[in-house]
Every structure is written in structure tokens, then in C-alpha cells.
Amino acid sequence: GQNIDQPTEMTATEGAIVQINCTYQTSGFNGLFWYQQHAGEAPTFLSYNVLDGLEEKGRFSSFLSRSKGYSYLLLKELQMKDSASYLCAVRDSYNTDKLIFGTGTRLQVFP
Amino acid sequence: KAGVTQTPRYLIKTRGQQVTLSCSPISGHRSVSWYQQTPGQGLQFLFEYFSETQRNKGNFPGRFSGRQFSNSRSEMNVSTLELGDSALYLCASSLGLQDRGTGELFFGEGSRLTVL
């Protein structure tokens, strides 16, 4: 089966660091994606991991452990504009490589 | 370069009616995927089209259908609407199929369907 779990909501303070976890169970694995979606807007691509380890891109980093079926998105120096939903998605290689999305984590950043 | 364009942005229908949603991908993108987004279920994959052919299909009933034209524009149709079909329908385009390269998807802002 396919299952992708993320916390539903998180809160953090401006300037802080927050880690959003994602665990997955899929028949196959061919990459993990993080997307950001502001309320009422389209999701936008943040990161892609296919090998174990950390990928850093500015204030955002994404980590993957394939053996544990685990990823996290790390947001540093939080800004108010980072308040959004963060979607974890796995490409399931046993399921025609479709992107399977989690339900998303709604992050609220407070001043 | 223009992004993914979806029309209409908002629409209200009643049960039993049908609806057609349209998606124009980014110029040069040949793959179009459709997703249904609801608060409880997140993004659920509907189907993917590439070069006018359906390449992948999600677990939705046959009431949900789609097609892609030679200019890569795509439409999806939902017949015999049910209350549970109320959702945001997102279209995403990519250069190639989702399984090629990073498979980054570029999303439109969606069509919000309300079924009364």
C-alpha cells in the first residue's frame, strides 16, 4: 500500500528553525519531493531527494533516509512569509512512478 | 514565460450535472497531470497525459475523465456530479513524464468546484 504521514499543523516563531517530518511507506521509491503551498495559491517546488543525505538550498534543507522511509524539511531563519502548507510527495516506482502526496503540514509563523 | 493556466477558477454546480475544466500548460511542456485537493485527503492523483495519451490513472471512478489536445492543452470532465466532488482541482505540467529526471511539477492555481 501507500502511506505518507506528516504532522497536520505546526507553529513556530519568526527567526527560529523548524523541522517538518515526513514518513512514507510505498511499494517502490524513486524520489521524494517537498512543495510549498500558500493559502489560495498553487503548490511550488522546493526540493528533490533521491539519494540519502541532506540537500541544502538557502534557508531550506531537505534530508532523506531511504532505509527508514523518512524525510524532513528544515526551515531556518523563519520569516512570516514561510507561513504555508508544506507537502511531502513520493514517486512510487512500483505504481507507474506517480507522485503520491501526503496531506500536508500547515505551518504558522508568529512574530 | 507564462505559467500554468486553469479555467474557470471558481464554479458552482448541482448534483447530477457535469463539469469541464481546462488547463493550458507552460509553453513547451508536454505532460499534464491532474490532482484533486481536499482538506482531509490532500492531493489525490487523477491522471497524467503526455502527447495526447493517458499515461497514468489514479483510483477515481469512471465519472472522471480527461483528454489532451495536440497543443498539450488538457481538459478534465466530471459527469454526474456528487457532493463529494467538491474540491480544488489542480493541473500540473512538466517537460516530460513524471518519471523523467526530477519530475518537477509546475502547478496552476486550480479550479475550485463546489457541488450543491
Side-chain angles (χ1 to χ4, degrees):
Chain A
Q2 306 160 0
N3 195 40
I4 299 176
D5 286 319
Q6 310 176 232
T8 305
E9 289 193 11
M10 297 182 70
T11 60
T13 306
E14 201 174 10
I17 299 173
V18 71
Q19 177 175 312
I20 302 175
N21 295 326
C22 171
T23 58
Y24 64 89
Q25 291 178 313
T26 55
S27 303
F29 178 85
N30 193 16
L32 185 142
F33 299 75
W34 285 95
Y35 281 80
Q36 179 191 59
Q37 186 178 24
H38 285 99
E41 298 183 12
T44 55
F45 172 81
L46 285 179
S47 68
Y48 168 71
N49 295 69
V50 67
L51 299 175
D52 290 351
L54 189 69
E55 294 282 342
E56 296 186 78
K57 193 187 292 186
R59 295 188 299 112
F60 292 7
S61 304
S62 57
F63 172 83
L64 174 67
S65 168
R66 289 172 296 172
S67 62
K68 295 180 180 177
Y70 168 70
S71 172
Y72 67 72
L73 180 69
L74 192 71
L75 293 77
K76 303 176 188 174
E77 300 168 15
L78 279 172
Q79 302 175 9
M80 297 296 289
K81 68 178 182 179
D82 297 329
S83 293
S85 287
Y86 292 86
L87 312 176
C88 173
V90 172
R91 182 185 288 152
D92 188 344
S93 57
Y94 278 23
N95 195 11
T96 63
D97 279 311
K98 291 196 295 281
L99 271 187
I100 312 297
F101 282 83
T103 53
T105 299
R106 183 166 167 250
L107 173 67
Q108 286 186 285
V109 180
F110 293 99
Chain B
K1 124 173 138 170
V4 178
T5 305
Q6 291 188 246
T7 57
R9 291 291 312 281
Y10 303 91
L11 66 166
I12 299 173
K13 293 285 187 178
T14 56
R15 279 181 299 174
Q17 288 187 309
Q18 73 160 10
V19 66
T20 299
L21 309 177
S22 179
C23 172
S24 294
I26 291 172
S27 177
H29 284 194
R30 296 171 64 190
S31 173
V32 173
S33 300
W34 287 90
Y35 288 84
Q36 180 195 65
Q37 187 175 31
T38 57
Q41 299 293 318
L43 270 78
Q44 302 286 308
F45 176 79
L46 281 157
F47 21 68
E48 180 185 14
Y49 287 89
F50 182 82
S51 294
E52 303 178 64
T53 302
Q54 186 179 89
R55 299 291 182 159
N56 280 311
K57 191 175 189 307
N59 298 323
F60 279 81
R63 301 185 296 107
F64 292 80
S65 62
R67 58 179 176 168
Q68 186 180 34
F69 302 95
S70 58
N71 61 359
S72 293
R73 190 177 71 84
S74 177
E75 287 182 348
M76 68 162 282
N77 183 277
V78 188
S79 62
T80 320
L81 284 166
E82 300 176 359
L83 295 178
D85 297 333
S86 294
L88 180 67
Y89 290 87
L90 289 164
C91 165
S93 76
S94 58
L95 276 172
L97 286 169
Q98 286 191 13
D99 62 345
R100 297 289 186 266
T102 66
E104 178 182 349
L105 299 178
F106 295 83
F107 285 87
E109 294 191 330
S111 294
R112 184 165 295 282
L113 170 65
T114 301
V115 182
L116 302 177

